[in-house]
Amino acid sequence: LEEQIRSLQASTPRKYPKVKYLNYKNRKRILITGGAGFVGSHLVDDLMIQGHEIIVVDNFFTGRKRNVEHWLGHENFELIHHDIVNPLFIEIDEIYHLASPASPPHYMYNPVKTIKTNTMGTINVLGLAKRVMAKVLIASTSEVYGDPTVHPQPETYWGHVNPIGPRACYDEGKRVSETLSYAYAKQEKVQVRVARIFNTYGPRMHMNDGRVVSNFILQALRNETITVYGNGKQTRSFQYVSDLVDGMIALMASNYTQPVNLGNPVEQSIEEFAQIIKQLVGGPSEIKQTKAMEDDPQRRKPDITRAKTLLKWEPKVPLETGLMKTISYFRNELARSDRFQEN
Ligand code: NAD
Ligand code: UDP
Ligand code: UDP
């Protein structure tokens, strides 16, 4: 058997994306919690290519091995199956803390677990950062602004969140996550960065994610009715994932410790967004209004002055370009799942 394994390995060398060589002084050991998820896996790609050592910790609630499988076996990469609600003892230089369900159906599926992940999980991450003196970037969210009464939303806005509504487990969970970060910064001198991420889309979004981008694209690709929740007058601003990843890396590298909005300020009503997707995908799908979501934020658009001035960052990918890449990703995913069903 050993002989067989050896000859198999010799005949099929793994091909990895090309990574830069960084010398010992510049190479960091970076932990990415939630690194097998949508955003996390793109962050893994960028930091691997830069030449760092990456450790992904994920419990695979919504993440998938497939998102990072192209790195499995690489000497700079490690994948650990672990739930961040439990303590974690490893040695690292930086942490990107992304572990948390992110789409409303996923975080509402088990609200208690969502709260535990964003409170106990964040405490463990901050405790780890304190012990090894690592810098931490917390993936917070525009949901900390709730259903905002200020438009667009600057970081100085304190938000308008219903503490007992269906979204509270996530919104309040992330608010506590931010509070914990600044408490550890003040009391324990942990270096923290807080990214308030606005709606992000792109390849590797989960098929059953339930968020508007994946729902509308899949409905259009399957010639099904496109479902607008409520009257469709509510707005969102959509950022492509590569822009977000650039922003997160720039924020980590900066000296700025206050929260920073990362999002694309181009705002759309959901009704308009349905039209855009229908047009880009083509096909006969109808657009229909259905029941409104409880506590659905009515307007959302980031004020990105802070990121522009301090990080020299702003989104680059136009909506149509990003959506075309995402549509082609979902088209392949559908073909793949059809092939599985045939077999
Ligand atoms: P995702 O669901 O694809 O990724 C989250 C990852 O965290 C998954 O791999 C999941 O398995 C993992 N995870 C969940 N609970 C865990 C736990 N207890 N222990 C270990 N791993 C756990 O979602 P995403 O869109 O990639 O979001 C990543 C982060 O960015 C989240 O923290 C989310 O709140 C934040 N965010 C995302 C958006 C967006 O539009 N995508 C917007 C705002 C904030
Ligand atoms: N922790 C961890 N990894 C570490 C250090 C700490 O997971 O390397 C956890 C630890 O188990 C604790 C939490 O982080 O539950 C907070 O740590 P802190 O040192 O702040 O608190 P304490 O251990 O004093 O309760
Ligand atoms: N939405 C919709 N149809 C869907 C999914 C979502 O009309 O199939 C709406 C939802 O009510 C919200 C917006 O699209 O107003 C964005 O929803 P999403 O779940 O993507 O993210 P949110 O910003 O609410 O976290």
Side-chain angles (χ1 to χ4, degrees):
L1 182 65
E2 266 178 40
E3 193 53 45
Q4 272 177 14
I5 292 172
R6 243 197 312 273
S7 77
L8 249 176
Q9 280 173 339
S11 62
T12 53
R14 289 259 350 222
K15 278 256 192 276
Y16 295 106
K18 200 167 160 47
V19 306
K20 276 199 201 113
Y21 174 76
L22 280 182
N23 65 23
Y24 168 75
K25 262 179 69 189
N26 295 320
R27 192 167 62 219
K28 295 191 190 111
R29 282 172 65 83
I30 304 175
L31 165 65
I32 304 180
T33 73
F38 157 55
V39 174
S41 64
H42 288 280
L43 189 58
V44 169
D45 289 350
D46 271 35
L47 294 171
M48 278 295 293
I49 287 166
Q50 285 184 15
H52 297 291
E53 284 178 45
I54 305 302
I55 302 166
V56 165
V57 163
D58 206 295
N59 71 349
F60 300 111
F61 172 50
T62 52
R64 291 166 298 177
K65 224 182 238 179
R66 194 145 71 79
N67 289 340
V68 291
E69 72 176 344
H70 45 287
W71 296 116
L72 292 178
H74 192 287
E75 62 180 324
N76 287 355
F77 182 76
E78 196 176 338
L79 178 60
I80 304 176
H81 189 157
H82 176 83
D83 192 315
I84 203 60
V85 163
N86 301 312
L88 172 73
F89 291 86
I90 55 173
E91 312 307 311
I92 57 307
D93 305 304
E94 282 183 355
I95 309 173
Y96 288 86
H97 178 41
L98 278 71
S100 163
S103 83
H106 284 153
Y107 66 65
M108 289 178 197
Y109 168 77
N110 185 342
V112 172
K113 179 70 190 205
T114 302
I115 299 170
K116 285 183 181 166
T117 299
N118 279 297
T119 54
M120 291 154 75
T122 304
I123 291 179
N124 287 332
V125 164
L126 291 162
L128 168 63
K130 169 184 141 189
R131 182 178 61 79
V132 299
M133 293 191 290
K135 222 198 255 183
V136 192
L137 183 146
I138 303 281
S140 184
T141 168
S142 53
E143 296 275 337
V144 299
Y145 302 125
D147 187 4
T149 53
V150 171
H151 193 78
Q153 296 81 53
E155 292 86 348
T156 46
Y157 178 49
W158 289 356
H160 181 225
V161 173
N162 174 0
I164 55 169
R167 303 174 85 97
C169 57
Y170 184 70
D171 299 8
E172 298 289 17
K174 291 285 184 180
R175 286 169 69 97
V176 173
S177 203
E178 288 197 9
T179 311
L180 281 166
S181 303
Y182 291 108
Y184 269 83
K186 188 155 189 241
Q187 190 177 322
E188 308 290 354
K189 309 286 171 265
V190 173
Q191 295 188 66
V192 298
R193 306 284 180 268
V194 174
R196 289 191 180 147
I197 303 169
F198 283 65
N199 298 59
T200 306
Y201 69 97
R204 302 192 193 141
M205 285 187 93
H206 207 286
M207 290 260 274
N208 306 320
D209 190 282
R211 279 182 277 197
V212 69
V213 178
S214 42
N215 275 10
F216 284 5
I217 293 179
L218 286 169
Q219 286 164 340
L221 286 171
R222 289 170 166 148
N223 300 331
E224 291 168 359
T225 303
I226 298 179
T227 54
V228 170
Y229 300 161
N231 63 14
K233 303 278 181 249
Q234 72 269 36
T235 70
R236 292 294 185 274
S237 310
F238 297 99
Q239 121 179 282
Y240 189 64
V241 65
S242 60
D243 284 330
L244 170 61
V245 166
D246 290 348
M248 290 172 87
I249 294 175
L251 177 58
M252 180 67 109
S254 79
N255 290 324
Y256 194 70
T257 55
Q258 289 297 297
V260 177
N261 287 341
L262 295 177
N264 191 322
V266 178
E267 185 184 7
Q268 245 94 37
S269 74
I270 294 303
E271 194 178 34
E272 284 163 356
F273 192 62
Q275 293 289 355
I276 295 173
I277 301 275
K278 180 180 152 85
Q279 204 190 352
L280 290 179
V281 174
S285 289
E286 273 182 274
I287 299 174
K288 275 209 175 133
Q289 294 181 3
T290 61
K291 201 169 150 278
M293 288 266 272
E294 195 180 336
D295 288 349
D296 201 359
Q298 290 307 297
R299 294 190 79 183
R300 183 183 291 157
K301 167 182 169 160
D303 176 336
I304 57 165
T305 314
R306 218 175 244 189
K308 270 186 173 166
T309 344
L310 295 162
L311 310 179
K312 310 279 171 262
W313 171 91
E314 63 184 313
K316 295 195 191 88
V317 182
L319 186 66
E320 195 164 312
T321 314
L323 283 177
M324 289 312 286
K325 289 186 185 181
T326 314
I327 290 167
S328 119
Y329 168 78
F330 277 116
R331 199 173 267 129
N332 288 336
E333 287 294 285
L334 280 178
R336 189 175 184 275
S337 68
D338 287 348
R339 276 201 304 279
F340 265 120
Q341 271 158 16
E342 278 164 20
N343 292 330

